Amino acid sequence: MPGGRLTQQERQQIALGLADGLAYAEIARRLDRPTSTITREVMRNGGPTAYRADLAHRATERRAHRRKQAAPRESQESAQPYGRDAEAVREYEEQFTTVVMASGMPLMMSRVLSCLTLTDSGSLTAPELAQRLQVSPASISKAIAFLESQGMVRRERDERRRERYIVDDDIWYQSMMVSARATARLVETARQGVGVLGPGTPAANRMENVARFLDFVSEGIARAAEQARDILHTTSGATSDPAAATAPGGPVEPGPAATAPGGPVEPGRPGRA
């Protein structure tokens, strides 16, 4: 049973377990299934708060039907570069997507990010993404817009004037800086609350503590991202083939300051009690 597909009855047991607040490991133990199977099942079907057994079962049947229809195409495209096992790559992409979803990213955005990240070029067009993921162009457009807002994807025009979506090493730096900016805005808002609630009151003290903590974290994220970017890019340039280290659209040159979209980040000073 651990190697077979989940049955509708098992999905109902998963839903009941989630409603009772059981951990994935406990649900898996009761069903004699690997914990990873339960985690993947829940995260790909709405997450722990929105999981429904009947919808999950129908979604699985639809996916199986699509895979069966796509079998002739996949048999022609199953050859993987570098001698990779095509089935192992598909399973790993699903696992990576599940982990990204567990961090809070919606399903389609997670699938697009995983697809781009696990592509050797780190670059695909919208039609290529739609074909690989077997989804509509509208779904790709919505996912790209979200990922771009988070600093996790950038756009470029190739030599044929096609728009390509790119994930490279610098994207993760940009994403960290977007996160630092968002945290800095939260710090500013929390400190505004201190004045509104009245300095010295319990609620104002709580907001001040929130601001101090997040201010410290924001500065740490920005500083660590800058240091990692400079160190890792310098190491890569010194130890690898420059041609191989060139990202699509040209090499990335680390700068001395954070330059995320929207302007440089100026992390605040950590508060002191």
Side-chain angles (χ1 to χ4, degrees):
M1 179 62 71
R5 292 182 178 177
L6 289 167
T7 65
Q8 188 165 13
Q9 183 177 6
E10 285 177 314
R11 290 191 168 93
Q12 290 170 349
Q13 292 300 313
I14 291 173
L16 291 173
L18 293 172
D20 290 340
L22 299 181
Y24 294 150
E26 176 59 22
I27 297 174
R29 187 188 66 78
R30 295 186 180 189
L31 294 178
D32 192 24
R33 292 279 192 170
T35 302
S36 60
T37 298
I38 305 304
T39 303
R40 187 164 54 246
E41 165 70 15
V42 174
M43 296 310 299
R44 70 165 22 168
N45 290 291
T49 60
Y51 182 84
R52 286 184 53 186
D54 53 343
L55 296 180
H57 195 70
R58 285 201 293 271
T60 300
E61 290 179 338
R62 286 196 298 270
R63 283 194 293 267
H65 181 66
R66 286 199 301 268
R67 281 196 295 268
K68 196 172 296 184
Q69 288 182 323
R73 179 182 60 82
E74 289 182 354
S75 64
Q76 295 175 355
E77 298 180 358
S78 59
Q80 285 280 330
Y82 304 103
R84 296 176 182 134
D85 184 313
E87 182 61 27
V89 170
R90 280 194 293 271
E91 289 181 359
Y92 178 74
E93 183 169 337
E94 183 175 305
Q95 177 185 351
F96 188 81
T97 300
T98 300
V99 172
V100 173
M101 287 176 61
S103 72
M105 186 175 290
L107 172 58
M108 184 52 61
M109 292 66 171
S110 300
R111 293 188 67 200
V112 170
L113 180 62
S114 297
C115 187
L116 283 168
T117 302
L118 301 182
T119 302
D120 284 304
S121 65
S123 168
L124 292 169
T125 64
E128 288 170 341
L129 281 167
Q131 182 181 27
R132 285 171 178 254
L133 299 177
Q134 292 294 290
V135 297
S136 69
S139 297
I140 297 298
S141 178
K142 182 177 180 181
I144 289 295
F146 173 86
L147 292 170
E148 195 173 28
S149 73
Q150 301 301 306
M152 305 197 76
V153 167
R154 62 184 174 87
R155 302 170 187 248
E156 277 189 5
R157 294 279 182 180
D158 61 18
E159 65 280 357
R160 296 170 57 184
R161 305 300 300 167
R162 297 176 304 178
E163 191 169 70
R164 304 191 70 86
Y165 308 120
I166 298 170
V167 168
D168 56 25
D169 292 343
D170 199 53
I171 289 298
W172 298 99
Y173 163 78
Q174 301 289 3
S175 178
M176 289 293 100
M177 302 314 291
V178 168
S179 175
R181 282 205 308 279
T183 304
R185 287 194 295 270
L186 185 54
V187 169
E188 181 182 357
T189 304
R191 288 205 165 116
Q192 290 173 358
V194 173
V196 173
L197 297 168
T201 65
N205 289 339
R206 185 180 305 113
M207 294 309 293
E208 179 61 30
N209 288 334
V210 168
R212 288 176 175 176
F213 175 81
L214 293 179
D215 199 7
F216 191 89
V217 170
S218 176
E219 181 181 11
I221 289 174
R223 184 170 58 246
E226 290 175 11
Q227 291 174 345
R229 185 196 199 200
D230 290 344
I231 292 172
L232 296 178
H233 280 226
T234 300
T235 302
S236 175
T239 60
S240 62
D241 180 359
T246 301
V252 176
E253 298 179 1
T259 54
V265 174
E266 298 180 1
R269 295 187 299 275
R272 292 289 182 267

